[in-house]
Amino acid sequence: MKVLTVCGTRPDTIKMAPIINELKKYPREVELIEVVTGQHKEMLDQVVKAFALTPMYNLNIMSSKQTLSSITAKILTGLEEIIQKHEPNVIIAQGDTSTTFAASLSAFYHKIPFAHIEAGLRTNNKYDPFPEEMNRRITSLLADVHFAPTEINRDNLLKEGVDPSSIFITGNTVIDALLYIAGQDYKFEDEKLNDFIKNKKIILLTTHRRENWGEPMRDICKAVKRIVKDFPEYGVVFPVHKNPIVREVVFPEFEGVENVYLTEPFDYVPFVHIQKESHLILTDSGGVQEEAPSLGVPVIVLRKTTERPEGVSAGNSKLVGTDPELIYKTVKELTENKEAYDKMSQTANPYGDGKSAEETIKVLFERYG
Ligand code: UD1
Ligand code: UDP
């Protein structure tokens, strides 16, 4: 089986890593062509290292403040030559990034079957998340086999008329990745961070979504400033996304603010461990919503919609949005009401059991081996 894998941002590479590493267990049966687009740079390189990936090609497309059009155009052009040279039996990509969308379109242009990992997540709102909702919907139209993490995801695909025999519920590969990393010992090298963790109850914050750029992100910062002022026993750890558009808002907001520890994005291993150390997570990330339930940490989702309703139904996460008053009140409630907190910190994970890659590869062998 000749398989071409495509990934290129932090989250899709974390979630593709278990698939790639599972494929590598079959060197005689599988010819693997590992491509990274380089849609991210530093944030991609750290994942490649954490999972010991060995890309054969890096399209190196990233530029500062890149546009959606330039990402897609550069990936389509870059993949063309590679696909023509290798003529794979199947192309695989994960999720809803522009890397994923461009990979599926490229597969279609070359009439090569496309397998979509993490298929069927939907908000049914064209612009939220933007552009991810349409990236994944278009990818579903072009895919030949759909690996849906949950039943809800499969039902979303069925409602759109996808052939049931092409959908497989396999859980989310992010749990495979998480379990691989969470078992390893880790000690933060940064003594300032170690002191912070020792002396404070940690609230972890991440935000990067396009819908939150500008005013909503400023509102999140306002809420956080009020929280650390009123609850001095808490400290906020905030790895700030590399995107300059995020940094232009965040850095000035927190200048001179105590009890907020701003840092570069964590590498994946330390990030899993800082999640484990956290009392509460505030985030607009998709992947973090999926990981936190395994670590028993409640999540406040800083978005209007989520394509991950399973965590909300299970009680691990609360969809709060970016209204500063509402964020503040929700955090206050969870700091004061132990029963409410304990309910949210249960550890059952609705997104998978860590065997997703194995299940996925079985199907790929049946179809394309
Ligand atoms: C992308 C994905 C989003 C995903 C997010 C995860 C798209 C359209 N968006 O959004 O779905 O949730 O990744 O983080 O696919 N940058 C660096 N170094 C890096 C990474 C980014 O400097 O390692 C800066 C660059 O200036 C780049 C900018 O961040 O132009 C934005 O990167 P981009 O991939 O376009 O968007 P994200 O917001 O990261
Ligand atoms: N993550 C990381 N370092 C950080 C923040 C997040 O390694 O500083 C990991 C996190 O564990 C998760 C993934 O990045 O697996 C989520 O990526 P992101 O929030 O950038 O994108 P999304 O999941 O929202 O598409």
Side-chain angles (χ1 to χ4, degrees):
M1 182 166 69
K2 210 190 250 191
V3 181
L4 191 146
T5 59
V6 187
C7 49
T9 68
R10 172 169 69 190
D12 64 9
T13 308
I14 290 171
K15 290 170 167 181
M16 277 296 281
I19 301 274
I20 293 169
N21 285 334
E22 188 66 25
L23 285 166
K24 282 185 178 162
K25 289 184 187 165
Y26 303 93
R28 283 194 307 167
E29 292 85 356
V30 176
E31 182 183 337
L32 182 63
I33 303 122
E34 215 181 308
V35 181
V36 294
T37 61
Q39 179 179 334
H40 283 175
K41 195 172 165 45
E42 302 86 347
M43 286 164 55
L44 166 71
D45 293 346
Q46 60 96 359
V47 181
V48 167
K49 213 168 109 208
F51 290 93
L53 303 178
T54 47
M56 190 186 276
Y57 298 98
N58 186 342
L59 303 180
N60 266 315
I61 67 149
M62 198 195 88
S63 61
S64 186
K65 293 193 179 179
Q66 59 201 358
T67 65
L68 295 174
S69 312
S70 81
I71 299 172
T72 305
K74 285 186 196 167
I75 296 174
L76 282 177
T77 312
L79 281 180
E80 186 150 74
E81 204 180 308
I82 299 170
I83 294 174
Q84 280 168 355
K85 179 170 173 211
H86 292 278
E87 296 182 343
N89 302 113
V90 59
I91 295 178
I92 316 178
Q94 189 283 343
D96 54 21
T97 64
S98 290
T99 285
T100 317
F101 159 62
S104 69
L105 190 55
S106 217
F108 170 65
Y109 285 164
H110 294 88
K111 297 196 179 150
I112 297 197
F114 181 80
H116 188 201
I117 313 292
E118 195 187 81
L121 278 69
R122 296 289 185 271
T123 60
N124 291 311
N125 183 327
K126 185 173 175 183
Y127 292 107
D128 194 346
F130 172 81
E132 291 84 358
E133 176 72 4
M134 293 313 285
N135 277 351
R136 61 193 171 217
R137 277 207 245 170
I138 301 168
T139 299
S140 292
L141 283 174
L142 300 173
D144 299 272
V145 53
H146 312 255
F147 294 101
T150 69
E151 278 184 30
I152 291 179
N153 304 148
R154 182 190 54 190
D155 292 347
N156 288 336
L157 292 167
L158 292 175
K159 275 185 222 147
E160 290 169 16
V162 175
D163 176 357
S165 70
S166 68
I167 308 173
F168 299 87
I169 299 182
T170 44
N172 199 309
T173 53
V174 79
I175 309 301
D176 305 30
L178 181 74
L179 298 182
Y180 170 77
I181 297 291
Q184 303 174 10
D185 283 337
Y186 190 81
K187 190 177 177 313
F188 295 102
E189 277 162 20
D190 182 346
E191 280 313 320
K192 211 170 137 206
L193 179 61
N194 279 325
D195 276 354
F196 202 62
I197 293 170
K198 210 162 80 193
N199 297 317
K200 299 280 175 194
K201 282 172 135 178
I202 299 299
I203 297 178
L204 180 63
L205 168 65
T206 80
T207 173
H208 71 278
R209 296 239 89 79
R210 277 181 156 70
E211 305 79 65
N212 284 342
W213 286 356
E215 216 40 48
M217 212 167 271
R218 224 164 264 127
D219 282 345
I220 294 170
C221 298
K222 264 187 214 143
V224 166
K225 283 194 270 189
R226 195 171 157 206
I227 291 163
V228 287
K229 185 163 157 277
D230 289 2
F231 306 102
E233 69 275 29
Y234 285 86
V236 171
V237 174
F238 184 5
V240 186
H241 194 284
K242 279 277 182 199
N243 194 336
I245 299 170
V246 171
R247 294 182 165 215
E248 279 156 20
V249 170
V250 167
F251 288 152
E253 280 293 327
F254 286 109
E255 215 173 297
V257 175
E258 275 183 39
N259 293 342
V260 177
Y261 181 90
L262 297 188
T263 164
E264 285 298 311
F266 284 100
D267 288 355
Y268 188 58
V269 181
F271 188 73
V272 169
H273 288 273
I274 194 72
Q275 285 187 82
K276 271 167 79 177
E277 296 288 347
S278 299
H279 186 71
L280 201 60
I281 299 178
L282 310 187
T283 191
D284 61 12
S285 161
V288 175
Q289 286 176 65
E290 293 158 344
E291 290 167 343
S294 284
L295 305 168
V297 188
V299 176
I300 293 177
V301 182
L302 305 170
R303 290 176 48 185
K304 287 199 199 77
T305 62
T306 180
E307 54 293 280
R308 295 167 171 91
E310 296 86 351
V312 179
S313 306
N316 296 109
S317 48
K318 263 192 204 317
L319 191 60
V320 169
T322 56
D323 174 40
E325 184 65 27
L326 206 54
I327 298 173
Y328 178 84
K329 274 194 180 148
T330 313
V331 172
K332 186 172 186 314
E333 159 79 3
L334 287 173
T335 57
E336 292 173 350
N337 183 342
K338 186 171 179 316
E339 203 184 320
Y341 179 85
D342 287 346
K343 253 195 204 157
M344 284 188 80
S345 54
Q346 58 194 321
T347 48
N349 194 314
Y351 299 106
D353 60 4
K355 297 201 164 58
S356 179
E358 208 180 299
E359 300 287 317
T360 304
I361 300 311
K362 258 191 229 158
V363 175
L364 290 176
F365 271 129
E366 275 162 27
R367 296 213 147 201
Y368 305 109

